Amino acid sequence: MDVENSVAEVIERELQLLSPAGRSSEALADELLDPEFVEVGASGRRWDRQAMLSALPAMQGAEDDGPQYVPSEMTGTVLAPGVVHLTFETVLDGRRARRSSIWRKSDDVSGWRMYYHQATPVPDA
């Protein structure tokens, strides 16, 4: 397994999920979220895959002319074959969050899919 390419592929997919196109398209999000996906959002709410797919198009960051996520400091580490951990920060409408996501690749057909995501708000200084 090529570690550098794995991390690059996962970063590309993470950026798709952060983009208005990825957030507004249930079909694209469906391809990017693992069947066992779970998220703990910045609000503390726990999301399962179906709840996230249903809510994503109406969430902030889904409209081209609205607030959009601005990611920074995105880095990835291969934890095991087929498992990549990303960490980064985002700003959305003036609110900062530290983010962590775990991506897994079960097979070459479905490719890398987000298995777990957590966002933690960064308090104003």
Side-chain angles (χ1 to χ4, degrees):
M1 177 177 81
D2 185 341
V3 171
E4 194 171 302
N5 282 344
S6 295
V7 171
E9 284 179 49
V10 168
I11 288 173
E12 181 181 320
R13 287 178 170 240
E14 183 82 49
L15 292 172
Q16 284 182 305
L17 273 175
L18 291 170
S19 74
R23 300 180 78 71
S24 63
S25 168
E26 189 171 333
L28 179 55
D30 185 56
E31 290 177 21
L32 296 172
L33 297 182
D34 189 89
E36 297 177 32
F37 171 81
V38 174
E39 174 173 329
V40 177
S43 67
R45 178 177 173 182
R46 184 182 186 282
W47 298 83
D48 64 18
R49 184 176 194 277
Q50 195 51 54
M52 183 57 71
L53 287 173
S54 296
L56 203 55
M59 291 178 151
Q60 275 194 309
E63 297 180 15
D64 287 326
D65 59 351
Q68 295 181 19
Y69 284 95
V70 178
S72 63
E73 303 177 36
M74 195 173 281
T75 60
T77 302
V78 175
L79 299 179
V83 180
V84 171
H85 178 222
L86 289 186
T87 57
F88 58 102
E89 287 193 12
T90 57
V91 176
L92 175 70
D93 204 19
R95 292 183 317 275
R96 286 179 49 216
R98 290 194 177 96
R99 297 180 177 273
S100 174
S101 58
I102 297 174
W103 290 75
R104 70 180 179 180
K105 186 176 185 180
S106 300
D107 57 58
D108 288 334
V109 175
S110 59
W112 290 100
R113 298 176 104 181
M114 184 184 285
Y115 173 75
Y116 178 81
H117 184 79
Q118 182 160 352
T120 304
V122 177
D124 294 332

